[in-house]
Every structure is written in C-alpha cells, then in structure tokens.
C-alpha cells in the first residue's frame, strides 16, 4: 500500500502583483470571479456572449450522456468567422493579425484583411479539391503563415484539421494520417532548423507510400529548397498555384456548436497515439476567455507563444486564442539558442513583444548561459510572461523572474493538457505567485486532489489531480475510440471525475503543486514521491542545469532514486560533487529522498515538445521494451 507523499519542497517566497498590473487587469477581483465561476453553466454562458452566433444555443450544458458532455447545444457558430471576419468589419481591419519571423531574420506580416482574403481563397481551393464539411485535412508544415491560413480555411468550411508536428518521423506521421483518414495533405518544401533546411516533402513522399486515403498533396514553397513535385500527376500541387485565381469570398459554414473542429494526436505511454477530438463552440469560449484573463490581452499587445502549432499550445494559444481576441500573434520558426542564446530576446526587443509564453524546458536551457544574453537586449516591452508543459522548477522560475522580467513581471505558470484544450490551473495577473506552482484552479474550473476513492486529500498530502465539473473546451472523445476515452480518463477514480493522470498536492494556501505524471511516480519505502520535487531540488544546486529522476527497483525499499543530471559548464561529477548533491537534495527534501546512483549525461530523452520522457530512462535501466517512441526527439 502506497502512503501519502511526505516529501515536500518548501517554498515560502510569495510575489505580489504591482499596482500597474492590478490597474490594467481584466479581472480585478479574484474572489468575485471565483464566486461567479462556482456555477460553471452561467459563468461560461456569459463568456460565450463575446462571439457572434448565427443561432444561440438551447442549452448551455447537456449532461445526459456522461462523460460525453455537450456544450451550447443547437447553437450555430463558426470559428474562422469569429477569428477573422469579425475583425475585418471593425477598426482592426488593417491591424497586423499574424507576424511570422524566423531564425534568418526574415519576416512576413498579414493584417486581418489580408488574412481574411487568403483564408477565403484557400477555403475555396479546398472545396474545389472536393473537401467537404466533416472531411479531414492533414498538415505537416513548419511554423508559417500558410499553416495558420490552412487551419482557418478548414474551420471556415467545416473541415476537420489534423496537424502533425513537422519534427515527427515517417512512421509516426503515417500512423496519424491513416488514423484520421485524411483526404488532403498540406506540406512544404522544407523547414528551417538551426541553419539547416529539413526537406519535409521528402519525408511526406515516403509517408505517402503508406497513406491510401490521401487524394491531393499541396506543397507550400517556404524555404525555396529545390524539391521534386510532379504537378502533372494531378495529385501534387503548389499552394500558390492552388489558390491563384480563387475568389477571396467563400461563404462561411454555419457549424453546430458540437461539430468536430480538429483532431490532435498525443502519445500515450503504451499503445497507439490518442486522437484527441475537440469540437467548435466550447473550445472557442474556453481558449478566448482564458487567454484574455490570464495574459490580460488588450489592444496594442504583441503576443508571442513559442509553442509549435504541432502541439495543443500552438493550436489554442498561437492561433485560435489570440485571433479570437483580435490581437497580434507572433509565430516564430527557430530554436531559442540559434544562432546564439540571445535569439529569443532579440525577437522580444526587435518587435516589442508584450506577452511572452514559453515552456520550462526552454527556460532551463537558456538559464545555462546565465544572465549575459537577456542583459544584451532591451526587454522592457514585456508585461506578462507564462509557462506550460512541465512543472516549472522554482529555480528556473526565479531566473526568468529576475533576469528576464527584472523582478517586475508576473509569471503565469499554466497547467493544462491537450485534452483540456484550455488553461485549467493558473494564476491571474493579480494573483500572489509562488515559484513552482500554477497556483489555483481558474474561475469556472473545479479541480481537486483526491485519493483513489475520490475523496479530497488533506492539505499537504499527495493524490490524483482531477477535474470535478465539465468545462467548455474539454475534449469530447478519442477519435474512433470511445472505449479508450472512458477507460483512460473517467473510470479509475469514482465519482464521475476527470482523471488528469498527474499527481499533485495542495499547500496551506490551497495552491496546487504538480508532482509529475502518475506513471512516473516513485515509491520509496512505501512513500509516494513525485519526480518534479526531486528534480527541482537538484536543479536548485548551482552545478545542475537539468535533471531527470526515476525509481529503480529495489528489493528492500521498493524504489531507490536514480538521477540523471546535466551539469552546467565548468562542472564535473566527481565524488565531492556527488556528496554535495546528496546533501543538498536531502536538505531540501528531507530523509525520504534516498538517493541511489547519480549519473552525468549530456542529454535527456525528451518529447519533441520538450517534456522529459522518464519512462525511456526507466525502460533502459530495467532492460525493457521502450514502448511508443514516436514523439521521442532524436
Ligand atoms: C504537464 C500541454 C506542471 C502535466 C498543454 C500535464 C504541467 C501534461 C504544466 C500535459 C504545468 C502541463 N505544471 N505540469 N504548468 N503544464 N504540464 O498534453 O503533466 O502536452 O498532464 O499539454 O503536461 O501535456 P500536453
């Protein structure tokens, strides 16, 4: 029997918002907003009023077929219309909607009106290719304006998009395209990666040999990389040729609130990838509301989310959220440290980015180079920063807060998932912050930490992170696999709650500390220990840049902690340092942190979105099969 977590990473530092933040904030009274959110039905219905509906909904929430919830039933709406057309008929018509920049210093800007025309052309072109409402269109594209245009063109005509991250290999790509039964594939002649061009068309060609459902391949000329394209085959066509001469007026499809919007694949630790299905209206309401309130979006903002559109972060917060709010979104094609570790700070300075949203993996990486690079640039345009994807180690949080934000800018550590579609646990700009926690569930979201019987655990004790009430941007099912949807998320914990698959604990203020994925959890002498706290303790040592820990089977203790560390420049792992690390971690966490071997590595296995894949380390240690490695980087 596994006992409660007794390892606590003590964090007493609290950072309060300054008066400027409070004055500007959309939500000034947190308690009042939370109070309103206690009735999610009326709360989210009010937020849905921000859009133009072709027909209002009959019912806000239909709970008759749990866990297959429906939101805004019988409502008619179109995402593309609300993200583009609505602004064209406002004073934002000539405002930049999307600003593309890349590692070579090139840029492309589209105003809302220019975006509108290109989306309409592409929508007409897709229709001419035979794409109808409900058909699936796959995309294997770099961060580029054509990706955004293609997604909006799909949602305009009711086609379902399935974006495959451009870094995935042939096998993973084939699996996703076939599962989604895609009719059209949109790809490009290449993508820039650290000074090189990766030929996406070549990878697509190889994949297409195994994808019988694809009828047309559209190719964007993005890098100018010479590629083989057989336009005569009738199956392959350049994007420019396709949209050339198309009318820039394409009628909008009136979508049912619950019509499918997109499929996005996320890997499970076992079995094939899960096709997470999102639908129209609830998703729109969830992403627009959260972005507006959490990052306090106002006229004049320049929003930059560094997440690739191949992941949910890019879908919700590089594209749909910002456009639904009529702001300017920056999409960047390039790594944080190419051509040098000042690359991203250069972008912030050059364009005057006001809101910056990134991931802990990038911060830990940039932190290795110290404060030299952020100091080279003028970062005074920044007003709010944010993070998503993994627990933010307190040390990384402090670095971002001190060195980039110069102690003036709040950091929104947002917890959410591909499945949740929108932010779920996060501070608002006015919230008191503690480094390392996404703080509290946002207004309108009911999250809790429970035991295996579904009962709330006392403060300080570890348990399963669950969502107790439905929320509008929730995924509706796993594509073509309702059984897996029910089994993976809704069954294990009683009470009809959504099991997020993470373990967490609440501190004395109710703040939620994410301790890691429940699959990764360590069991040390009967104590359940989250990976994130041990790793954060390592990262708070001056010699350590990154760390991953796993439980290695031990006949007596259950698990002992095996740690893999990447050291900062100038350090080597000798016996002195090992001893010092052991003392440091034990001091931070208490005696339960029984450390076994500490191993120095140059790299950690990560997903292509930057999450540490501990199960790969574990499988290697135990000599087991590596499982699904389709999202593994290198
Ligand atoms: C983890 C990304 C701690 C968590 C939007 C979750 C986090 C998984 C945070 C979902 C955070 C995400 N703090 N952990 N702020 N944000 N996670 O589907 O384990 O790629 O379950 O969605 O990432 O990852 P996904």
């Amino acid at each position: 029997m596994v006992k409660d977590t007794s390892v606590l990473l003590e964090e007493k530092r609290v950072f309060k918002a300054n008066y400027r933040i409070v004055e500007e904030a959309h939500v000034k009274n947190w308690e009042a907003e939370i109070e309103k959110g206690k009735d999610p039905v009326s709360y989210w219905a009010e937020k849905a009023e921000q859009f133009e509906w072709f027909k209002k909904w009959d019912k806000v929430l239909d709970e008759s077929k749990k866990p297959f919830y429906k939101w805004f039933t019988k409502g008619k709406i179109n995402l593309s219309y609300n993200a583009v057309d609505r602004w064209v008929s406002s004073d934002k018509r000539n405002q930049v909607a999307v600003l593309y920049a890349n590692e070579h210093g090139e840029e492309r800007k589209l105003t809302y009106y220019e975006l509108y025309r290109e989306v309409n052309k592409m929508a007409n072109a897709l229709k001419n290719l035979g794409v109808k409402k409900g058909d699936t269109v796959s995309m294997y594209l770099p961060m580029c304006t054509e990706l955004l245009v293609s997604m909006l063109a799909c949602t305009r005509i009711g086609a379902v998009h399935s974006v495959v991250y451009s870094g995935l290999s042939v096998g993973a790509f084939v699996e996703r395209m076939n599962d989604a039964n895609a009719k059209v594939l949109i790809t490009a002649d290449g993508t820039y990666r650290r000074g090189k061009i990766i030929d996406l068309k070549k990878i697509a060609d190889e994949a297409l040999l195994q994808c019988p459902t694809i009828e047309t391949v559209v190719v964007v000329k993005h890098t100018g990389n010479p590629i083989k394209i057989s336009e005569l085959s009738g199956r392959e066509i350049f994007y420019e040729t396709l949209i050339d001469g198309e009318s820039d007026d394409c009628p909008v499809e009136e979508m049912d609130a619950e019509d499918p919007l997109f499929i996005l694949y996320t890997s499970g630790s076992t079995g094939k990838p899960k096709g997470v299905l999102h639908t129209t209206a609830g998703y729109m309401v969830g992403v627009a509301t959260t972005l507006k309130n959490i990052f306090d979006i106002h006229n004049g903002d320049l929003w930059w989310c560094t997440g690739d559109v191949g992941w949910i972060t890019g879908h919700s917060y590089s594209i749909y959220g910002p456009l639904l709010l009529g702001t300017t979104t920056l999409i960047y094609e390039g790594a944080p440290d190419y051509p040098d570790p000042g690359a991203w700070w250069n972008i912030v300075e050059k364009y005057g980015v006001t809101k910056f949203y990134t991931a802990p993996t990038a911060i830990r990486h940039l932190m290795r180079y110290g404060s030299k690079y952020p100091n080279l640039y003028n970062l005074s345009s920044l007003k709010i920063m944010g993070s998503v994807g993994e627990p933010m180690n307190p040390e990384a949080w402090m670095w971002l807060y001190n060195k980039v934000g110069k102690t003036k800018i709040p950091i929104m550590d947002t917890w959410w998932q591909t499945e949740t579609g929108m932010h779920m646990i996060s501070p608002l700009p006015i919230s008191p912050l503690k480094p390392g926690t996404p703080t509290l569930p946002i207004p309108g979201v009911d999250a809790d930490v429970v035991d295996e019987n579904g009962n709330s655990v006392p403060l300080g004790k570890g348990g399963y992170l669950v969502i107790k009430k439905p929320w509008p941007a929730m995924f509706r099912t796993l594509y073509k696999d309702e059984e897996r949807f029910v089994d993976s998320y809704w069954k294990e914990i009683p009470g009809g709650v959504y099991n997020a698959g993470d373990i967490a604990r609440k501190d004395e203020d109710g703040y939620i500390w994410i301790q890691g994925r429940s699959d990764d959890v360590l069991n040390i002498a009967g104590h359940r220990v989250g990976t994130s706290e041990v790793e954060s303790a390592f990262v708070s040592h001056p010699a350590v840049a990154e760390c991953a820990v796993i439980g290695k089977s031990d006949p007596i203790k259950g698990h002992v902690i095996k740690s893999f560390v990447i050291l900062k420049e100038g350090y080597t792992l000798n016996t002195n340092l090992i001893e010092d690390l052991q003392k440091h971690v034990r001091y931070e966490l208490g005696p339960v942190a029984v450390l076994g071997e500490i191993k120095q590595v140059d790299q950690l296995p990560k997903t292509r979105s930057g999450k540490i894949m501990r199960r790969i380390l574990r499988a290697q240690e135990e000599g087991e099969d590596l499982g699904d490695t389709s999202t593994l980087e290198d």
Side-chain angles (χ1 to χ4, degrees):
M1 185 62 194
V2 176
K3 288 181 219 142
D4 306 310
T5 314
S6 49
V7 178
L8 299 185
L9 188 70
E10 290 265 351
E11 183 55 71
K12 297 284 180 212
R13 291 170 287 194
V14 178
F15 298 85
K16 293 212 165 106
N18 64 39
Y19 77 93
R20 267 186 230 101
I21 305 277
V22 178
E23 262 175 14
E24 260 199 22
H26 286 300
V27 177
K28 291 194 171 47
N29 185 337
W30 191 85
E31 282 81 13
E33 193 77 7
I34 283 290
E35 212 35 58
K36 281 204 270 174
K38 285 191 176 152
D39 176 9
V41 169
S42 63
Y43 184 78
W44 294 110
E46 187 195 309
K47 304 295 178 196
E49 300 283 354
Q50 67 186 294
F51 298 122
E52 276 183 38
W53 293 77
F54 302 119
K55 181 185 163 285
K56 278 279 168 67
W57 56 90
D58 286 356
K59 203 165 183 211
V60 179
L61 174 63
D62 176 357
E63 302 190 88
S64 59
K65 266 181 73 191
K66 291 176 186 174
F68 298 93
Y69 295 96
K70 288 185 180 153
W71 283 85
F72 308 108
T73 56
K74 301 260 164 62
K76 298 278 181 204
I77 195 164
N78 184 287
L79 189 160
S80 195
Y81 178 85
N82 275 281
V84 185
D85 303 38
R86 198 157 49 112
W87 308 124
V88 170
S89 49
S90 79
D91 56 4
K92 291 180 194 275
R93 182 184 178 90
N94 298 319
Q95 179 198 307
V96 175
V98 50
L99 166 56
Y100 160 84
N102 69 22
E103 60 184 30
H104 298 297
E106 295 159 344
E107 63 181 42
R108 185 183 178 203
K109 290 178 183 169
L110 287 179
T111 63
Y112 272 98
Y113 185 48
E114 288 165 336
L115 178 64
Y116 168 84
R117 283 186 306 192
E118 199 163 323
V119 168
N120 275 270
K121 285 183 171 196
M122 185 59 177
N124 277 325
L126 287 174
K127 275 184 166 174
N128 286 341
L129 292 177
V131 176
K132 289 187 291 297
K133 182 178 170 186
D135 286 344
T136 311
V137 174
S138 268
M139 293 166 206
Y140 187 63
L141 284 167
M143 290 294 270
C144 61
T145 52
E146 291 84 355
L147 170 56
L148 195 134
V149 166
S150 302
M151 291 166 77
L152 288 161
C154 284
T155 49
R156 186 170 193 89
I157 62 172
V160 178
H161 57 70
S162 169
V163 178
V164 177
Y165 174 56
S166 64
L168 291 192
S169 60
V170 173
F173 179 24
V174 168
E175 195 172 26
R176 285 160 176 75
M177 266 202 299
N178 285 341
D179 191 72
N181 279 319
K183 212 167 170 176
V184 171
L185 170 69
I186 307 171
T187 185
D189 60 5
T191 177
Y192 299 111
R193 204 162 293 152
R194 310 181 76 85
K196 292 202 207 93
I197 292 177
I198 312 290
D199 187 341
L200 295 181
K201 173 67 167 48
K202 199 168 140 213
I203 302 171
D205 283 344
E206 214 181 311
L208 283 164
L209 297 172
Q210 302 168 61
C211 297
T213 59
I214 299 288
E215 293 166 10
T216 312
V217 182
V218 181
V219 185
V220 175
K221 282 183 197 162
H222 178 64
T223 57
N225 182 33
I227 49 153
K228 275 197 273 170
I229 172 159
S230 52
E231 283 195 274
L232 293 178
S233 69
R235 186 165 100 147
E236 300 190 346
I237 183 162
F238 278 115
Y239 174 91
E240 289 94 327
T241 319
L242 180 74
I243 65 168
D244 186 39
E246 285 293 350
S247 146
D248 59 11
D249 181 12
C250 172
V252 180
E253 191 72 38
E254 295 195 1
M255 303 298 287
D256 190 274
E258 280 296 338
D259 274 335
L261 187 65
F262 63 83
I263 307 168
L264 186 60
Y265 287 88
T266 175
S267 62
S269 44
T270 52
K272 62 184 186 85
K274 301 168 172 169
V276 171
L277 181 85
H278 281 283
T279 60
T280 306
Y283 177 80
M284 293 169 61
V285 173
V287 299
T289 307
T290 47
L291 181 61
K292 180 176 172 190
N293 290 342
I294 294 169
F295 286 93
D296 223 20
I297 301 296
H298 292 275
N299 283 338
D301 264 326
L302 179 58
W303 165 255
W304 180 20
C305 162
T306 67
D308 193 281
V309 178
W311 314 114
I312 191 70
T313 307
H315 279 61
S316 298
Y317 297 112
S318 281
I319 301 198
Y320 289 135
L323 296 180
L324 283 168
L325 295 177
T327 191
T328 303
T329 183
L330 190 152
I331 58 172
Y332 182 73
E333 186 183 11
D337 60 346
Y338 184 86
D340 66 50
W344 281 9
W345 313 131
N346 176 45
I347 291 291
V348 170
E349 176 185 283
K350 181 172 173 189
Y351 296 108
V353 172
T354 56
K355 311 282 164 76
F356 174 67
Y357 188 34
T358 191
T361 180
I363 300 305
R364 288 193 302 259
H365 189 78
L366 292 173
M367 208 172 116
R368 269 197 245 180
Y369 304 101
S371 48
K372 175 177 157 205
Y373 288 98
N375 285 346
L376 287 176
Y377 297 91
N378 179 349
L379 306 177
S380 61
S381 58
L382 288 172
K383 288 184 171 175
I384 297 180
M385 299 186 285
S387 153
V388 56
E390 281 183 297
M392 185 76 160
N393 318 93
E395 209 53 31
W397 196 102
M398 289 307 303
W399 186 84
L400 187 66
Y401 188 76
N402 288 328
K403 307 298 182 198
V404 180
K406 320 284 192 237
T407 74
K408 290 188 187 65
I409 301 170
I411 299 173
M412 303 294 108
D413 178 352
T414 62
W415 178 92
W416 59 295
Q417 304 179 301
T418 306
E419 292 87 342
T420 69
M422 65 183 225
H423 301 143
M424 302 292 281
I425 303 173
S426 169
L428 297 178
I430 55 167
S431 307
L433 307 171
K434 295 183 198 178
T437 160
T439 73
L440 297 162
I442 61 163
V445 166
D446 188 359
D448 197 7
V449 181
V450 302
D451 63 19
E452 47 272 359
N453 301 317
N455 300 316
S456 301
V457 297
L459 298 184
K461 297 265 166 85
Y464 301 94
L465 179 62
V466 299
I467 314 293
K468 291 184 151 170
K469 285 185 193 148
W471 64 100
M474 65 197 301
F475 66 141
R476 300 303 196 257
T477 189
L478 292 179
Y479 188 59
K480 296 193 296 195
D481 205 346
E482 294 196 340
E483 199 178 315
R484 193 174 179 199
F485 170 72
V486 176
D487 290 352
S488 311
Y489 302 100
W490 301 96
K491 236 182 183 164
E492 218 170 306
I493 296 173
V497 296
Y498 169 77
N499 178 3
D502 281 0
I503 57 155
R505 68 176 166 82
K506 285 185 183 176
D507 70 12
E508 66 280 7
D509 296 315
Y511 279 24
I512 294 176
W513 292 76
I514 309 293
Q515 298 177 291
R517 296 292 295 163
S518 49
D519 302 340
D520 288 336
V521 89
L522 313 171
N523 172 359
I524 298 166
H527 292 278
R528 190 168 55 200
V529 178
T531 48
S532 95
E533 285 171 305
V534 186
E535 289 164 5
S536 287
F538 269 101
V539 173
S540 68
H541 188 282
V544 179
E546 287 210 61
C547 171
V549 300
I550 59 166
K552 208 176 160 184
S553 309
D554 180 272
I556 297 162
K557 295 212 153 69
H559 282 152
V560 287
I561 304 174
K562 173 148 185 180
S563 324
F564 299 81
V565 292
I566 301 180
L567 296 181
K568 289 192 189 147
E569 268 170 357
Y571 289 95
T572 32
L573 193 69
N574 52 30
T575 34
N576 279 347
L577 182 55
I578 292 183
E579 218 171 88
D580 199 48
L581 284 172
Q582 283 169 334
K583 279 191 191 150
H584 173 78
V585 173
R586 201 160 318 142
Y587 177 76
E588 293 290 318
L589 299 178
V592 178
V594 195
L595 296 184
E597 192 192 344
I598 302 177
K599 193 174 168 188
Q600 184 180 356
V601 292
D602 298 330
Q603 262 189 328
L604 292 169
K606 286 191 182 167
T607 63
R608 288 171 188 274
S609 59
K611 289 189 213 296
I612 298 171
M613 290 178 93
R614 294 172 196 79
R615 69 181 169 80
I616 299 282
L617 294 170
R618 221 161 39 228
Q620 258 170 358
E621 279 302 308
E622 313 272 350
E624 287 162 3
D625 181 47
L626 297 186
D628 174 17
T629 54
S630 64
T631 55
L632 179 66
E633 192 179 56
D634 301 328

